[in-house]
Amino acid sequence: MPEIKVTPLGAGQDVGRSCILVSIAGKNVMLDCGMHMGYNDDRRFPDFSYITQNGRLTDFLDCVIISHFHLDHCGALPYFSEMVGYDGPIYMTHPTKAICPILLEDYRKITVDKKGETNFFTSQMIKDCMKKVVAVHLHQTVQVDEELEIKAYYAGHVLGAAMFQIKVGCESVVYTGDYNMTPDRHLGAAWIDKCRPDLLISESTYATTIRDSKRCRERDFLKKVHETVERGGKVLIPVFALGRAQELCILLETFWERMNLKAPIYFSTGLTEKANHYYKLFITWTNQKIRKTFVQRNMFEFKHIKAFDRAFADNPGPMVVFATPGMLHAGQSLQIFRKWAGNEKNMVIMPGYCVQGTVGHKILSGQRKLEMEGRQILEVKMQVEYMSFSAHADAKGIMQLIRQAEPRNVLLVHGEAKKMEFLKQKIEQEFHVSCFMPANGETTTILTNPCIPVDISLGLLKRETAIGPLPDAKKPKLMHGTLLMKDNSFRLVSPEQALKELGLAEHQLRFTCRVHIQDPRKEHETVLRVYNHLKGILKDYSVQHLPDGSITVESILIQATAHSEDQGTKVLLVSWTYQDEELGSYLTSLLKKGLPQS
Amino acid sequence: MAAHLKKRVYEEFTKVVQQQHEDLSTKKLRLTKPSKSAALHVDLCKATSPADALQYLLQFARKPVEVESVEGVVRILLEHYYKENDASVRLKIASLLGLLSKTAGFSPDCIMDDAINTLQNEKSHQVLAQLLDTLLVIGTKLPESPSVRMRLVEVACKHLTDSSHGVRNKCLQLIGCLGPVEKGVAKEAESQAAKDVQKIIGDHFNDQDPRVRTAAIKAMLQLHERGLKLQQAIYGQACKLLADDYEQVRSAAVQLIWVLSQLYPESIVPIPSSNEEIRLVDDAFGKICHMVSDGSWVVRVQAAKLLGSMQQVSSHFLEQTLDKKLMSDLRRKRTAHERAKELYSSGEFSSGRKWGDDAPKEEIDTGAVNLIESGACGAFVHGLEDEMYEVRIAAVEALCMLAQSSPSFAEKCLDFLVDMFNDEIEEVRLQSIHTMRKISNNITLREDQLDTVLAVLEDSSRDIREALHELLCCTNVSTKEGIHLALVELLKNLTKYPTDRESIWKCLKFLGSRHPTLVLPLVPELLSTHPFFDTPEPDMDDPAYIAVLVLIFNAAKSCPTMPALFSDHTFRHYAYLRDSLSHLVPPLRLPGRKLVSSAVSPTMTPHEDPSQQFLHQSLERVYNFQHLDPRGIQELLEFTIRDLQRLGELQSELAGMADFTATYLQCQLLLIKALQEKLWNVAAPLYLKQNALASAAAKQILEETYKMEFMYSGVESRQVVIIHHMRLQAKALQLIVTARTTRGVEPLFGMCEKFLQEVDSFQRCFISELPHMQGSFVDKLLDLMPRLVTSKPSEVVKILQTTLRQSTFLHLPLPEQLHRATANIIEPTGESDNPLRFTSGLVVALDVDATLEHVQDPQGTVKVQVLYPDGQAQLIHPKPADFRNPGPGRHRLITQVYLSHTAWTEPCQIEVRLLLAYNSNRSKASTRIPKSTWSESLEALPPSENGIEGTIPFSKPVKVYIMPKPARR
């Protein structure tokens, strides 16, 4: 039996360091190549030595596919391609290709310049790596080689995020990457057609959560910002540069526009500006509203949001500032936070999760006095709010995607083992498909039952379908023909043609059978009786009485002779060719029952 | 229409045709009308190649064919059809057959046999499909012959086994459109072919081609539309089709399931994989809910729309649609809505959300959680969150319809609707505000919900704000804080957008009159009165202060203790506002003051209303004047008209009625006056002056009758008859006057004929009303009709004159509701002293903002007129999108008018006013009489009657100061 093998090198019962190896019909594909945010040692990258101990990766992998630009999905790419060595094609969507190097460069800067690590990939390596990237469009089928083809579907989540279908012959795998089934202010919802893959590899970050409607959260967020600004306070929103930041920008921008507000909104500069530029470019990847209105105005050309300057923080009056990084652990957001923390009119809104130990986590857990470096004590009087804006599919969303794609098997990655267990059980229960959740390094083997395409000539097909009732797509249909397996291809041809092609002479196979009948009459009378009997029963067939005393039913010949020993017993000789087997055997059984008494 | 379109299409495709040839043929057409078929025959015989023949046919298709020659043409076409080898030509001929059989007045049963015969030998699938299409046309043209239909259906059934999807498609379509609907017919025809149409169509639900599957479902729906009761058995099949791979199939299947759920709501269906059973409508509801999260947005829209009309669904299922069963890490979580409710009930309002505030509480039994098969679960939550705004709008509409029928559901969906106020697309926001208004009788807003609603008041879109004001007008608020909040937000809105003044005042009027007890405790604070100290008197011109007063006075109307809290200046301000803004400030029973209109007490029903009684009495008096002398009649009419006009001013509810009758009496008065002129006794040419008076009267009566007919909404056919009758009298008067003043009989001939035609058409249009018009002008006239037709114009005039004098005054019955169309231009105000300067030759845009009341179809009828000082008038048709419809019977016109003129030496005023255009074709009379007579009368109507168009000014003109400057060189 053919099989599909899946081995997660990262993201197996875990979040971060997404990297999944798939072998399908002899092709090896690597899905994503991410880093782990929690580690600073070798564990941060996937263990590529699993693929091959010695020898080049290029020989073992047919292609690499990157689903989106988040570092836990593409962070190890330069290391993998330049330092470990991989020269094959890397596939990603256009926006991912554009934004990915910016993030990689930023990541490199923080690790090398700030933390002083050596033996890390360089800027040049990032550039070289990006040269190997092949960009794909949505719904474009890309032929990696003659047999392997891939196709991207829209996944929501972040700009340019895609789900990929990998297909070899009739076997296919869909890898979702991270996706979002509910639209947000700047992106649409993930969508896939009924492609019925053999295996669906899905993320499962929110395997055990069913989320509330997004609108309440948005409304709360806007209301809080609005109230603070009206009071004359300042709002600080620490964000990561890409993804949610753009959503919040759009949200505030449209709100400002609608409500005719005048307070300034600033966005701390840096890589955001570059990224915003790409958001402007890739309008087709955004949601309906932005796509429809961009003729009048590109929503990412912000009217109310301006670049931030350090000096603005001391300006009087209300303002809203987006600043990086998102967890308030360093950089501009922390500086602004220290300036504004003392005033109870101000507010800080944390739009995402904060790692333990960061200032963000401390203030969220209610700490009001913070010890800063240099033994300073910072008293936090400003309001602290938490708003979760996350763009992963929840349990219902995952189920919905499975329903849309109708896979034969499901494999869960990118989530916690305990939560996966629940979802796995649910999937098996409700869709009756088997579900897997391998750990890192564990290989799952899935047996497939691929269909084998066979060529058939149109003439033969038409001839065969003309027999019997109309063909029905849902039911298999029996056809007669000769299967020719030649030069790695299968063809169904008519027997005559097969003989001709193979240069064989035709042999006839004939069955003969003797049936004894007790009949004292003369031979020709017996024949006549048999003839009448058959004529009476086989109304749809042409039954003929030939002058030489034999009977033909279609092409079956029946002759009667008297038994050499017993004149009262007549011997009926029934002879038919192999093709008429069905009718022939029916006739003999009919005759064996004897003739009716007349 | 379709035929016409087709012709158009062909025209566009065939531009290569030689011009010369066509000219010739058009000439020929006119000369030799009946030989059209022959011409075609010659053409077709001449054709050397299929392409040539095709060209001829295309040319032929452009020209209309007379009814008489259709059959001949069809024969020729058929003859050619049998000879033709090329499929494309046969296809064209087949389509032409269909086109021809559509010709009005042609009965296609004579060509049916031939058409069916052609089917037998046809090999090309495309031509077959086209022929079936033709048969469909023929079948629909012959609705009264079931045998023909049976035959056609049989033919279609025969071709159902064709291998081409196109043919099967058409067959199913044909069966759907022509299949027997009544049970009886099916049984009668049993001998021929006992065919159950439903079964035949049902068999094709599993066809291999999705297009055929769709066609099968559509055919089934078609049968349903034609009145066949579908069998419940197909429900199971339809449910399977919901999982089809193709969106058209799913979309059609959703419709089919909906239809079945309406047919058999109460029957019981089993739930698969369990022993339970539920009502079919519930099951269908669950299934359609499921489709709200379909992969294709077309299906989602379809499903969301249909959900709204499934009112029989049990409340248990209905309420599930709003519940998504949140959980987090396998523990049950409360929604933000539930938390907000809890916060509110615990007394704490608007707390900031803390980290972990939404921490999940109870553990969930993992076995009990159903992630996807829960059917109705959260369907609306999904629909309202959908990516496509079309789906969201459909969901909001469905929500509205369901909430209107179920108060408990209305209460529950409130939170979701409020959330939709923040949608990113304005259309959706607007729609949800309107929806909320529609269900507002069923709900009371909680304070936190009100807060969210009010936040939208700051929206920069005027439509949204006004919709919201409209909503607040009919909202129930539960607490006095709520009222206060609303007032504060509305005042904020007022300062931000001063143009909303009128709308906000109106909103506060209703808010006050709805919640008198809640306003009462707020009064001291709102008026900033102090028990011991006198506070400064607020500025009377401050719109915000007026807004507060409007709220308080309206509340005081039903709260007699409130005026005790007023300070002195409040009473003064009351008197002032009662006069200046009488529509916003109600009459109050104030201590020590006489009530302005004490006669009206709210407990009286309209029938006992004295003003109504007065109206009827005065009319009664007028109708009985027959025995009075002419002078007395005139005086009585004059008094009554005056009374009615005054009544209309005083009683706004009766204004329409009073004006309407006053106008009618005015017409009668004018008629009487004109008839009593001395000129009738003297030779005409000597009395030119008087005669001017009479003809002016006739003209005015005509004008007034048009006003009566087109300016009032609620006019019924009974009134229309009277109005038309009055018009007829005026026309008779005109005729008499012209006969008197002009010499010679030549011009009179035409006029008499025209008049008689009008009498004729009057009789035809209002034949049913004639018995009620005993002794009237027209009644007498019709008696004399035979004489009139034969006599000379001078005699006709004489007869007319006497009948006109002898005829009785018709009693005008009043309809239940009658409203006069009014318009009020809000912008421009006409008060500005600063001229609008612009360079001559260029244009300037003038913003016009007007409210229209009781105007039917304003998009078609309302025009803006601009009058320049030099007498030049300009008529502007506003775009349909410029009209908004804030409430029933009310419209708002917000448009821009472009002005331009040559240079002036100094600024001058132009006049802007609104006109109501009318067209006697669209007369209410003709739309009201039954269809059959209508079509007859339309054909027979004389052309003169067809095209009377005119305009009625119905707003006060507003003056705008403008100054076109000469262009600088």
Side-chain angles (χ1 to χ4, degrees), chain B residues 578-809:
Chain B
R578 173 78 191 122
D579 242 24
S580 60
L581 295 171
S582 53
H583 60 291
L584 292 174
V585 180
L588 289 185
R589 202 185 295 261
L590 293 180
R593 262 162 227 260
K594 203 181 87 204
L595 195 54
V596 183
S597 61
S598 52
V600 190
S601 95
T603 51
M604 279 192 179
T605 59
H607 280 290
E608 300 164 38
D609 194 349
S611 42
Q612 189 125 22
Q613 268 176 17
F614 173 74
L615 180 75
H616 286 293
Q617 276 166 7
S618 45
L619 287 180
E620 216 47 48
R621 214 166 49 220
V622 173
Y623 294 133
N624 295 329
F625 68 58
Q626 239 72 4
H627 44 78
L628 277 175
D629 62 302
R631 263 204 90 70
I633 293 176
Q634 273 191 35
E635 262 169 29
L636 178 64
L637 278 174
E638 268 162 23
F639 283 134
T640 319
I641 290 167
R642 204 195 57 204
D643 285 352
L644 286 175
Q645 275 167 348
R646 183 70 189 135
L647 180 72
E649 282 164 29
L650 287 176
Q651 286 294 124
S652 54
E653 312 93 81
L654 290 175
M657 209 90 84
D659 281 347
F660 189 67
T661 40
T663 316
Y664 180 61
L665 295 182
Q666 181 74 38
C667 289
Q668 185 64 29
L669 181 63
L670 282 168
L671 192 67
I672 292 173
K673 271 189 184 166
L675 287 174
Q676 270 157 14
E677 286 297 328
K678 291 204 184 77
L679 90 124
W680 310 112
N681 310 324
V682 198
L686 297 176
Y687 288 89
L688 274 177
K689 218 175 186 181
Q690 267 93 344
N691 129 44
L693 205 146
S695 68
K699 214 182 215 168
Q700 201 186 338
I701 296 173
L702 277 183
E703 250 170 52
E704 297 287 341
T705 54
Y706 282 120
K707 272 191 198 169
M708 284 174 78
E709 189 175 352
F710 295 103
M711 254 177 74
Y712 293 87
S713 65
V715 179
E716 293 162 18
S717 56
R718 289 183 300 158
Q719 286 87 40
V720 176
V721 177
I722 310 266
I723 294 166
H724 275 249
H725 182 247
M726 180 54 85
R727 195 177 298 159
L728 207 60
Q729 281 174 307
K731 278 178 181 161
L733 183 63
Q734 242 175 357
L735 182 63
I736 299 165
V737 172
T738 21
R740 285 241 140 199
T741 48
T742 47
R743 282 163 204 232
V745 275
E746 288 296 306
L748 278 183
F749 270 123
M751 286 187 71
C752 279
E753 196 177 330
K754 210 173 128 192
F755 180 76
L756 290 179
Q757 269 175 0
E758 255 153 41
V759 175
D760 195 39
S761 70
F762 179 89
Q763 186 195 8
R764 220 170 313 127
C765 286
F766 302 107
I767 193 105
S768 59
E769 301 281 345
L770 282 178
H772 305 298
M773 307 176 79
Q774 294 297 337
S776 70
F777 171 64
V778 85
D779 190 44
K780 289 187 178 157
L781 212 55
L782 288 174
D783 288 341
L784 298 169
M785 205 58 179
R787 241 181 88 198
L788 282 173
V789 176
T790 51
S791 48
K792 282 182 196 153
S794 52
E795 276 175 59
V796 173
V797 170
K798 224 171 261 167
I799 296 169
L800 279 181
Q801 197 174 332
T802 43
T803 17
L804 208 52
R805 274 163 186 264
Q806 288 164 0
S807 61
T808 53
F809 179 37

Side-chain angles (χ1 to χ4, degrees), chain A residues 185 191 196 208-215 219-220 223 258-259 288 385 403 419 426 430, chain B residues 245 290 295 324 327 329 336 353 369-370 372 384-385 389-390 419 422-423 452 459-460 496:
Chain A
R185 288 285 168 153
W191 180 85
R196 302 197 170 90
T208 54
T209 302
I210 298 177
R211 257 180 305 147
D212 197 357
S213 130
K214 221 173 172 97
R215 295 182 187 282
R219 200 188 58 209
D220 272 12
K223 200 171 139 192
R258 257 181 69 196
M259 297 302 182
Q288 190 192 19
E385 297 287 346
R403 186 161 77 100
K419 298 181 179 176
K426 283 289 149 198
E430 272 163 38
Chain B
D245 282 10
H290 206 51
K324 216 177 152 188
M327 61 173 192
D329 290 349
R353 191 189 293 181
V369 183
N370 232 351
I372 199 136
L384 293 176
E385 260 191 343
Y389 84 94
E390 292 91 340
D419 278 349
N422 279 322
D423 196 90
T452 326
D459 203 297
S460 58
K496 207 163 175 183

Side-chain angles (χ1 to χ4, degrees), chain A residues 122-139:
Chain A
T122 60
S123 295
Q124 190 54 45
M125 285 180 179
I126 298 175
K127 279 176 197 155
D128 290 340
C129 166
M130 294 319 285
K131 279 179 194 153
K132 296 172 185 168
V133 171
V134 182
V136 298
H137 293 283
L138 275 186
H139 302 176

Side-chain angles (χ1 to χ4, degrees), chain A residues 94-329:
Chain A
H94 284 276
T96 312
K97 188 185 175 186
I99 298 170
C100 186
I102 310 177
L103 284 177
L104 286 172
E105 182 61 32
D106 188 58
Y107 173 48
R108 189 198 64 81
K109 256 192 216 153
I110 289 171
T111 339
V112 177
D113 299 354
K114 292 246 167 85
K115 295 186 187 154
E117 264 186 66
T118 49
N119 192 21
F120 204 72
F121 54 78
T122 60
S123 295
Q124 190 54 45
M125 285 180 179
I126 298 175
K127 279 176 197 155
D128 290 340
C129 166
M130 294 319 285
K131 279 179 194 153
K132 296 172 185 168
V133 171
V134 182
V136 298
H137 293 283
L138 275 186
H139 302 176
Q140 173 199 8
T141 307
V142 180
Q143 291 280 333
V144 177
D145 55 33
E146 272 159 22
E147 288 141 32
L148 177 64
E149 60 183 46
I150 61 172
K151 184 177 174 185
Y153 290 96
Y154 191 75
H157 190 61
V158 289
L159 190 81
M163 308 191 270
F164 280 90
Q165 183 191 32
I166 302 121
K167 197 169 171 189
V168 182
C170 280
E171 292 167 276
S172 62
V173 172
V174 169
Y175 173 61
T176 63
D178 290 355
Y179 63 100
N180 189 6
M181 292 302 279
T182 47
D184 63 30
R185 288 285 168 153
H186 72 309
L187 296 174
W191 180 85
I192 197 163
D193 55 14
K194 255 190 222 276
C195 52
R196 302 197 170 90
D198 290 302
L199 175 65
L200 178 84
I201 304 175
S202 170
E203 67 132 330
S204 53
T205 322
Y206 286 109
T208 54
T209 302
I210 298 177
R211 257 180 305 147
D212 197 357
S213 130
K214 221 173 172 97
R215 295 182 187 282
C216 300
R217 263 173 293 153
E218 283 180 2
R219 200 188 58 209
D220 272 12
F221 173 77
L222 292 173
K223 200 171 139 192
K224 266 165 201 157
V225 173
H226 189 187
E227 275 171 3
T228 313
V229 167
E230 266 197 345
R231 246 192 340 248
K234 298 173 166 63
V235 183
L236 171 67
I237 308 172
V239 286
F240 291 102
L242 282 167
R244 285 321 96 201
Q246 273 70 26
E247 186 190 350
L248 294 178
C249 279
I250 289 267
L251 196 60
L252 277 189
E253 166 87 11
T254 44
F255 188 71
W256 249 239
E257 183 96 28
R258 257 181 69 196
M259 297 302 182
N260 238 334
L261 297 179
K262 293 286 178 286
I265 308 175
Y266 296 113
F267 207 126
S268 71
T269 45
L271 73 168
T272 320
E273 247 178 316
K274 253 186 189 169
N276 270 349
H277 176 65
Y278 288 117
Y279 272 83
K280 266 182 235 169
L281 276 181
F282 293 112
I283 281 296
T284 44
W285 287 79
T286 53
N287 72 3
Q288 190 192 19
K289 157 95 176 168
I290 299 178
R291 266 182 290 143
K292 285 218 164 141
T293 52
F294 101 100
V295 185
Q296 284 101 42
R297 189 167 81 91
N298 193 324
M299 291 274 273
F300 290 103
E301 305 220 0
F302 299 124
K303 232 191 236 169
H304 301 273
I305 302 179
K306 294 160 212 118
F308 184 69
D309 187 278
R310 195 164 297 211
F312 291 167
D314 296 322
N315 283 2
M319 65 171 89
V320 181
V321 175
F322 288 94
T324 50
M327 298 190 197
L328 278 182
H329 52 277

Side-chain angles (χ1 to χ4, degrees), chain A residues 360-427:
Chain A
H361 188 263
K362 280 180 198 156
I363 56 170
L364 277 180
S365 46
Q367 224 169 308
R368 293 315 250 176
K369 284 203 173 123
L370 300 174
E371 197 176 341
M372 309 306 277
E373 64 261 40
R375 300 233 170 132
Q376 270 179 298
I377 299 286
L378 182 67
E379 202 174 340
V380 182
K381 285 186 183 156
M382 76 198 299
Q383 295 174 56
V384 179
E385 297 287 346
Y386 172 75
M387 286 280 145
S388 132
F389 283 87
S390 111
H392 288 276
D394 64 358
K396 266 204 148 176
I398 295 170
M399 298 301 265
Q400 203 181 328
L401 187 90
I402 296 175
R403 186 161 77 100
Q404 274 182 20
E406 292 187 5
R408 286 182 200 91
N409 298 282
V410 178
L411 189 142
L412 299 176
V413 293
H414 202 281
E416 289 162 37
K418 241 179 86 188
K419 298 181 179 176
M420 277 184 185
E421 196 70 54
F422 163 77
L423 191 65
K424 174 177 186 269
Q425 179 204 336
K426 283 289 149 198
I427 291 171

